[in-house]
Amino acid sequence: ELGALMNLDHSAVLQETRIFNQTPIRPRHSRLLLAKVLFLLYRGDSMSTNEATDLFFSTTKLFQCKDMSLRQMVYLAIKELSTRADDVIMVTSSLMKDMQPKSELAYRANAIRALCKIVEPSMLPGIERFLKSAIVEKSPTIASAALVSSLHLFGEAKDVVRRWGGEVSEALNGKALQGPSFFGGSGGNQIVSTSSIVQYHAMGLLYAIRQHDRMAVLKLVQGFSGQSRGWLGGAGSGLRSNMAQVMLIRYAVRVMEGDPSLFEQLQGLLEGWVRHRSDMVSLEAARAACQLQGASGQLLTAAVSALQVFLSSPRPTVRFAAMRTLSALARTHPDAVQPCNVDMEGLVADSNRSVATLAITTLLKTGNEASVDRLMKQMQGLMAEISDEFKAVVAEAVRSLCVKFPTKHSAFLGFLSSTLRDEGGYEFKRAAIEAIVDLAKHVPESREAALGHLCEFIEDCEFTKLSVRVLHFLGEEGPRTERPTVYIRHIYNRVVLENAVVRAAAVSALAKFGTVADEGLRKSVRVLLQRCLDDRDDEVRDRAAWALRMADNENTRTKYVRDDSTFALAVLERRLVEYCTGVRHGRVSLEGVPRISRAQAEEAQGRGRLEAMDAALVVGTSAVSAASPAVAGTATSSGAMAADSGAAAGMDVYEQQAEYASRLRAIPELAAFGEQPLVSSARAIELTEAETEYVVRCVKHVYERHVVFQFDVTNTIPEQVVGQVEVNMEPEEDTSEVLRPVVVIPAPELRCDEPSSVYVAFERVDTDVFPTASFACTLRFVVRECDPATGEPEEDDEGFDDEYSLEAVDLGPGDFMQAAYLPNSQALWEAMGADAEFLETFGLASFDSIASCIASVAELLGMCPLEGALTPTSKAAHQAVFTGRWMGGAKTVARTRMTYQKGAGVTMELAVRSEDPAVSELMVSAIA
């Protein structure tokens, strides 16, 4: 019959629906015809408004038939056609008739769903009485239909649905519901329903009504957790529905994260839920505890113990849920998961391949060096039986393990190379390639073996992107090996045998071999490149010609081949988009695009890779199976916070500064200062605690003649709307001779959790003077009361003036320094010479470690730390190099040497050289 449905003709079906107008009605034929109509709609067939309207009113004539199966199909058709047809409100009377208490049970529930689908918000008060009565109906079928329909209506008619809070509370707190048989009437034979779905739906609707009232949500959590018995009118506060318990756990976590003062109190509740008799509730509580930031060791121990028990469950879904939670926890707290290692090793041979994969990847995170070989052998047999998605997860886990246990590089390489020879998709092969590349970079002893495996892979690689990636890596690492000629042969084979894209990448790789010191090797590479000049593809010929010209000039080789820096692509992309859309006038120059080191670019890619791997393992556990956005939004905010933090990590500092520049240009008063700031803060300064009523952060922007302070303000009070928001900045010392206030740009209105920005601008009186100052800041605004549910202020409330004290804001030399990566810092240091150097030694007794000291120095200097600058490898001594551009112009290099002695603190020597000698002294004064 499915084949017959697939070949349905749209016009023929609509023609056949004329039988709906015939008398007598044929129930079975009409029911099958409605099924065909619904299939056409679900298939995506377009239907004109006239066709939908005619079909809708033809369908309503089937209300004359009392056949229950046909009536159910009529309700479905009405709901689907209501968004396409006109005048659907005409069927309201028929639906209202079916909602009457004396109607059949199946009629009432389905009529409620259909009516709420077509009713307009303005008509809702007319049926409010019926819906409120249905919510407290003894029949769970009717009550559930009314609750879910109310949840759908909440988005369009919040004020009306909020009045039903009492009935929803009664449904949530009611005794066991019972009612007539689904197929019977309202008399004699009644079947007692043990369904507790009503509590689940009532919990979701009650939270949607009260989600903006933090105290009401807290009472909801306490009332149904046993802390406040009798709330909402019930003598007992237990929930029979496990799904409602799961929702309650998520609400409790939201309260804990929104109000830290309740953290300890509700943490005990969470620990109690971990020991719940229901697997569903216990798993949800354990997952929430593992994701909760700042969870106590006792709570984590209880969660891990519960998950350990679930690992031996006979149900695969429970084992999978427990393993996925433990796998996510192992990234941040591997020691906490180690007690489960024995149980997880037993799951390596689990019949469910997903469970086995998660078990192995988690063991790789928590295991020790002695267990690596055994795990590798187990994974080898597992790889042929799992999907490509999990193969990629395994490869990523091995990739992180390569850095953790470098002495086991031979075992890792053997495993990864064997996976490359197996069948698999692009993502899996890419993950394996990147793991080998990482291993070659971080473990020098494995470099040549890794390059050999990569050469073998590209001989028979079906993915062009992967061939290009491998060739690029061979070009970077091959010239540094003892026998570079081995790799030249494999690279040139790609020029002969591959497509144009791979051939072009091979030519670029050969060009890098032409920069080695061996003259004989350079001649051989030159011969191969000359052969490429006859290639049939323009790109290949052009690259070969460029490589030959570059090979004869040492300066060109240094600039274009040996320099490992790259442009900040996010900034370049934004400027090109602005140019194409007409926002930016004039030509686009690379001079203003900041450069970053290859290590910085790889670090950003690594963050994205780890976030993607976490998403593959964790995302999906907090989805809520409800149709309404109000319920869908009740997933734990810890998951939302993780997503937000991942998004923040994904936007690098240069992309953020480009975003700042775009916003500043949109403000006429600030656009007059220049096209973009010369320097913007690398990170915002927190001026308040995260839990306060008003959260304020400050970002500083420096122009040629002006300094702009950007205050990002967030109002966290749902009962208030604040307007005319300004920040008053008073210097602690007289700065009138160097700084003059110019303009204050207030934020017109701040609603709850909708951040906005306030700007305060100063003009530098003398552009040759770079002032240092400290400002006492006060937030000033007008407060108006508002409805927490709608966020709309009261019309007759004119508000009152109020102010809020902020932390002081400092302006120092580091704020005039652009944190820019400068390639070849050693050559630049020597070129500037000793005359441009300013050196001073500091005794910093207040620091108890080099790590904390170097972090503070980096913040004060405002410069770009080069590789390894912020990660000291020794507790006794450390050296660091920083680079930057003073006011976006003069190149500056800072070198620091530190030693630490217990009791004496840190002794630091700071030397700064700049193209402008005066800058060197200014930067050293930033520390003093």
Side-chain angles (χ1 to χ4, degrees):
E1 293 188 4
L2 182 59
L5 288 175
M6 295 301 294
N7 296 320
L8 285 177
D9 180 70
H10 179 88
S11 301
V13 172
L14 291 182
Q15 187 76 14
E16 196 175 352
T17 56
R18 294 182 178 181
I19 68 166
F20 294 163
N21 300 316
Q22 297 178 2
T23 304
I25 296 173
R26 292 182 288 175
R28 186 176 182 278
H29 192 184
S30 299
R31 188 171 66 248
L32 293 175
L33 191 53
L34 283 174
K36 293 179 181 181
V37 171
L38 291 172
F39 182 83
L40 290 177
L41 295 175
Y42 294 151
R43 193 173 68 179
D45 286 19
S46 60
M47 186 178 294
S48 67
T49 303
N50 290 335
E51 289 176 338
T53 303
D54 293 341
L55 179 58
F56 179 85
F57 285 102
S58 297
T59 303
T60 60
K61 295 183 179 181
L62 298 177
F63 274 104
Q64 301 173 26
C65 181
K66 300 298 183 181
D67 184 87
M68 188 172 296
S69 299
L70 176 60
R71 185 65 62 89
Q72 290 176 331
M73 293 298 295
V74 170
Y75 291 133
L76 286 175
I78 286 175
K79 288 197 292 184
E80 293 300 324
L81 292 171
S82 62
T83 58
R84 296 174 171 85
D86 291 333
D87 301 325
V88 294
I89 204 68
M90 301 296 292
V91 78
T92 302
S93 59
S94 298
L95 295 174
M96 293 281 288
K97 182 179 179 182
D98 284 351
M99 288 172 56
Q100 299 301 321
K102 294 183 179 180
S103 300
E104 293 288 345
L105 180 65
Y107 288 2
R108 293 185 64 189
N110 289 318
I112 290 171
R113 294 188 180 96
L115 182 61
C116 291
K117 179 75 173 179
I118 67 173
V119 73
E120 296 177 359
S122 60
M123 299 180 60
L124 195 55
I127 63 171
E128 182 178 0
R129 177 173 57 90
F130 293 97
L131 290 176
K132 291 169 68 174
S133 175
I135 288 174
V136 296
E137 177 66 40
K138 290 183 178 180
S139 167
T141 307
I142 297 173
S144 178
L147 288 167
V148 174
S149 299
S150 302
L151 202 50
H152 283 291
L153 293 170
F154 184 75
E156 299 178 352
K158 290 185 174 63
D159 293 338
V160 177
V161 177
R162 284 176 56 237
R163 296 200 295 260
W164 307 346
E167 286 75 14
V168 178
S169 300
E170 184 177 342
L172 178 61
N173 219 30
K175 298 181 179 179
L177 298 174
Q178 50 180 295
S181 164
F182 187 79
F183 294 102
S186 56
N189 275 333
Q190 294 189 357
I191 300 176
V192 176
S193 172
T194 59
S195 170
S196 51
I197 194 68
V198 173
Q199 279 193 329
Y200 171 60
H201 292 151
M203 179 71 76
L205 180 56
L206 190 61
Y207 176 76
I209 292 173
R210 304 186 177 181
Q211 59 184 325
H212 296 293
D213 187 342
R214 184 177 298 176
M215 291 305 299
V217 176
L218 176 61
K219 289 180 180 179
L220 177 66
V221 172
Q222 292 176 334
F224 287 97
S225 62
Q227 284 198 349
S228 179
R229 294 189 178 276
W231 185 70
L232 296 175
S237 56
L239 289 173
R240 298 178 306 278
S241 171
N242 292 330
M243 291 185 290
Q245 286 275 13
V246 169
M247 301 284 281
L248 194 66
I249 292 171
R250 296 177 179 177
Y251 303 153
V253 172
R254 291 174 72 92
V255 172
M256 293 169 71
E257 293 175 341
D259 190 350
S261 63
L262 299 171
F263 195 93
E264 292 297 329
Q265 177 184 354
L266 296 182
Q267 194 170 229
L269 287 180
L270 204 56
E271 188 174 345
W273 280 317
V274 167
R275 301 185 179 92
H276 198 275
R277 63 180 181 273
S278 167
D279 291 351
M280 180 192 301
V281 177
S282 181
L283 277 169
E284 177 64 25
R287 185 190 65 84
C290 293
Q291 291 185 350
L292 193 63
Q293 295 184 358
S296 66
Q298 181 180 352
L299 179 59
L300 279 181
T301 301
V304 171
S305 298
L307 294 170
Q308 187 175 8
V309 173
F310 290 133
L311 294 180
S312 57
S313 171
R315 291 185 291 172
T317 52
V318 174
R319 297 198 304 272
F320 178 77
M323 268 311 321
R324 182 161 59 174
T325 304
L326 288 172
S327 181
L329 180 63
R331 275 210 65 237
T332 54
H333 298 83
D335 294 339
V337 184
Q338 280 185 350
C340 302
N341 281 3
V342 175
D343 301 88
M344 290 189 291
E345 288 189 12
L347 294 178
V348 171
D350 194 276
S351 58
N352 186 296
R353 296 293 85 186
S354 300
V355 174
T357 304
L358 285 173
I360 285 183
T361 54
T362 308
L363 284 170
L364 290 176
K365 299 172 188 174
T366 61
N368 51 38
E369 194 167 357
S371 64
V372 167
D373 292 328
R374 184 179 72 256
L375 290 173
M376 288 307 209
K377 290 179 181 178
Q378 291 175 320
M379 279 196 300
Q380 197 71 49
L382 179 69
M383 295 298 284
E385 304 177 19
I386 60 178
S387 65
D388 275 5
E389 180 183 0
F390 281 106
K391 285 181 181 178
V393 172
V394 171
E396 292 288 359
V398 174
R399 182 179 182 180
S400 60
L401 207 63
C402 292
V403 182
K404 187 176 180 181
F405 303 123
T407 58
K408 293 292 183 179
H409 61 82
S410 57
F412 297 141
L413 273 180
F415 170 76
L416 292 170
S417 61
S418 65
T419 59
L420 288 178
R421 290 190 288 269
D422 297 338
E423 293 294 328
Y426 169 77
E427 288 298 330
F428 160 55
K429 298 283 187 176
R430 182 198 60 79
I433 289 294
E434 294 299 334
I436 294 177
V437 168
D438 266 13
L439 186 59
K441 286 181 177 179
H442 294 99
V443 186
E445 297 84 358
S446 67
R447 179 185 300 164
E448 296 201 9
L451 293 178
H453 290 304
L454 294 177
C455 289
E456 179 184 348
F457 171 72
I458 61 173
E459 291 293 338
D460 189 26
C461 177
E462 58 182 316
F463 302 106
T464 297
K465 288 184 178 180
L466 295 184
S467 294
V468 171
R469 176 70 177 104
V470 171
L471 288 168
H472 174 74
F473 185 67
L474 290 175
E476 284 186 332
E477 300 294 331
R480 306 176 188 176
T481 60
E482 295 180 358
R483 296 184 301 162
T485 53
V486 174
Y487 311 109
I488 292 176
R489 175 172 61 85
H490 290 280
I491 294 173
Y492 189 69
N493 283 345
R494 302 305 99 213
V495 177
V496 177
L497 302 173
E498 292 286 355
N499 58 51
V501 175
V502 178
R503 295 202 306 273
V507 169
S508 296
L510 283 175
K512 295 180 180 179
F513 281 86
T515 63
V516 298
D518 188 346
E519 182 61 30
L521 182 60
R522 287 210 303 270
K523 288 182 179 179
S524 300
V525 172
R526 191 177 291 110
V527 170
L528 297 177
L529 290 172
Q530 287 173 345
R531 294 179 183 178
C532 298
L533 293 174
D534 298 327
D535 194 275
R536 60 183 178 275
D537 185 76
D538 292 346
E539 177 72 16
V540 178
R541 294 196 303 272
D542 290 346
R543 292 196 185 194
W546 170 82
L548 287 170
R549 184 183 182 96
M550 175 205 65
D552 297 330
N553 189 312
E554 177 64 25
N555 293 332
T556 306
R557 288 201 300 270
T558 301
K559 182 177 181 181
Y560 292 108
V561 178
R562 294 173 185 167
D563 181 8
D564 70 341
S565 63
T566 183
F567 290 104
L569 296 181
V571 180
L572 179 59
E573 178 187 14
R574 179 180 290 274
R575 294 196 176 187
L576 291 173
V577 169
E578 290 175 349
Y579 175 77
C580 293
T581 55
V583 176
R584 180 183 293 271
H585 301 288
R587 65 188 182 89
V588 178
S589 172
L590 294 178
E591 292 296 327
V593 179
R595 299 179 70 92
I596 59 176
S597 67
R598 190 73 59 181
Q600 288 175 303
E602 291 176 353
E603 181 185 356
Q605 292 174 356
R607 286 198 304 266
R609 175 179 56 81
L610 290 175
E611 290 161 11
M613 187 171 70
D614 287 346
L617 293 174
V618 179
V619 170
T621 59
S622 58
V624 182
S625 56
S628 170
V631 177
T634 59
T636 52
S637 59
S638 59
M641 287 179 64
D644 292 342
S645 63
M651 176 180 287
D652 62 25
V653 61
Y654 299 106
E655 185 177 1
Q656 181 65 69
Q657 291 182 358
E659 173 67 23
Y660 287 148
S662 178
R663 290 167 59 183
L664 292 169
R665 279 198 302 272
I667 302 173
E669 296 90 339
L670 304 182
F673 297 165
E675 184 178 357
Q676 67 179 36
L678 300 177
V679 183
S680 288
S681 302
R683 65 180 185 86
I685 304 169
E686 303 290 343
L687 301 184
T688 61
E689 298 293 335
E691 300 82 17
T692 55
E693 298 93 334
Y694 308 102
V695 180
V696 184
R697 305 189 311 159
C698 178
V699 179
K700 290 168 272 190
H701 309 284
V702 177
Y703 291 84
E704 184 69 33
R705 296 188 60 89
H706 297 82
V707 178
V708 176
F709 296 88
Q710 172 185 326
F711 297 91
D712 296 328
V713 188
T714 303
N715 169 28
T716 64
I717 306 176
E719 296 84 7
Q720 291 183 357
V721 172
V722 296
Q724 303 176 27
V725 185
E726 298 181 353
V727 175
N728 181 54
M729 299 182 68
E730 291 291 339
E732 296 181 358
E733 298 180 358
D734 184 20
T735 59
S736 58
E737 296 183 358
V738 289
L739 285 175
R740 182 170 60 243
V742 177
V743 64
V744 176
I745 301 175
E749 187 176 74
L750 281 180
R751 296 177 182 267
C752 180
D753 294 331
E754 295 182 6
S756 187
S757 297
V758 177
Y759 298 91
V760 180
F762 292 85
E763 182 181 8
R764 292 165 52 215
V765 177
D766 187 350
T767 56
D768 294 330
V769 176
F770 301 95
T772 59
S774 181
F775 296 88
C777 299
T778 304
L779 188 69
R780 293 179 176 173
F781 46 86
V782 176
V783 179
R784 298 173 63 191
E785 300 295 328
C786 73
D787 185 344
T790 62
E792 295 296 331
E794 299 177 4
E795 295 182 359
D796 56 347
D797 185 5
E798 297 182 358
F800 59 91
D801 293 335
D802 199 358
E803 61 182 37
Y804 193 84
S805 297
L806 306 176
E807 295 288 337
V809 175
D810 297 324
L811 181 67
D815 295 317
F816 297 92
M817 178 64 70
Q818 182 188 52
Y821 170 76
L822 302 178
N824 301 322
S825 60
Q826 175 63 31
L828 183 61
W829 177 269
E830 295 174 354
M832 287 188 289
D835 293 339
E837 179 178 323
F838 195 88
L839 184 146
E840 192 164 335
T841 302
F842 301 91
L844 307 173
S846 59
F847 290 99
D848 58 0
S849 69
I850 288 180
S852 59
C853 181
I854 193 65
S856 297
V857 170
E859 183 177 353
L860 290 172
L861 292 178
M863 303 176 74
C864 174
L866 298 192
E867 187 174 1
L870 301 181
T871 54
T873 56
S874 170
K875 295 182 179 179
H878 180 59
Q879 296 184 9
V881 180
F882 301 86
T883 61
R885 288 179 175 271
W886 182 258
M887 293 288 287
K891 297 178 180 179
T892 307
V893 180
R895 289 183 172 183
T896 178
R897 294 190 298 173
M898 297 181 178
T899 60
Y900 173 73
Q901 186 175 2
K902 190 174 182 180
V906 177
T907 302
M908 181 184 72
E909 179 187 85
L910 176 64
V912 180
R913 292 184 182 181
S914 176
E915 292 178 335
D916 182 353
V919 172
S920 302
E921 185 175 356
L922 278 171
M923 293 308 300
V924 172
S925 69
I927 306 297

